[in-house]
């Protein structure tokens, strides 16, 4: 296994493709993790953290949809999730460049 901090950083930042393409922020990290998890040191850990975060955020979005009818709480949820979608990948890209473990708060462990 070899170290490749740049690829780990890129994997975290690739989540921001959602703001451009809609779904690329899930597909690109999934592909990078699947292909490089055995080749790059730390990719398995970072990739799992990203996928857990993405799946958890998707579930939270689904939860916000019916909450729109309850005094508009879903709209507040969408705003908070949008902030999380933008801030946490950047924070974890910085953590990856510093060779630290990824940390996505509010994330459910699926992998």
């Amino acid at each position: 296994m070899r170290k490749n901090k740049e690829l780990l950083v890129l994997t975290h930042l690739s989540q921001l493709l959602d703001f451009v393409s809609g779904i690329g922020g899930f597909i690109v990290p999934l592909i990078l993790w699947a292909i490089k998890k055995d080749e790059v040191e730390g990719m398995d850990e970072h990739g799992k953290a990203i996928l857990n975060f993405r799946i958890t955020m998707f579930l939270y979005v689904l939860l916000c949809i019916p909450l729109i009818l309850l005094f508009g709480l879903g709209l507040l949820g969408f705003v908070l999730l949008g902030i999380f979608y933008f801030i946490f990948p950047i924070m974890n890209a910085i953590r990856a460049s510093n060779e630290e473990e990824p940390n996505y708060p509010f994330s459910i462990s699926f992998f």
Side-chain angles (χ1 to χ4, degrees):
M1 279 202 175
R2 61 185 170 85
K3 284 188 175 184
N4 191 341
K5 291 190 310 186
E6 292 80 16
L7 185 61
L8 294 176
V9 169
L10 180 67
T11 305
H12 285 284
L13 292 178
S14 68
Q15 297 177 75
L16 299 176
L17 286 172
D18 272 351
F19 294 106
V20 178
S21 69
I23 192 161
F26 180 77
I27 300 296
V28 172
L30 175 65
I31 292 171
L32 288 173
W33 171 70
I35 293 173
K36 297 293 186 178
K37 68 181 175 184
D38 296 325
E39 297 175 23
V40 176
E41 185 178 324
M43 178 59 85
D44 192 42
E45 178 186 4
H46 285 266
K48 286 178 182 178
I50 291 168
L51 295 177
N52 286 332
F53 173 69
R54 300 300 303 210
I55 293 169
T56 301
M57 288 296 115
F58 178 72
L59 293 175
Y60 290 156
V61 165
L62 290 179
L63 185 65
C64 286
I65 292 171
L67 289 177
I68 291 174
L69 301 174
L70 186 64
F71 307 114
L73 290 177
L75 295 176
L76 178 62
F78 283 135
V79 170
L80 288 174
L81 291 176
I83 292 169
F84 290 166
Y85 264 115
F86 187 74
I87 298 291
F88 289 142
I90 294 171
M91 288 174 46
N92 281 287
I94 294 168
R95 293 176 67 86
S97 72
N98 294 331
E99 297 183 9
E100 298 175 17
E101 293 182 10
N103 180 23
Y104 285 98
F106 315 113
S107 197
I108 301 169
S109 288
F110 295 100
F111 300 104

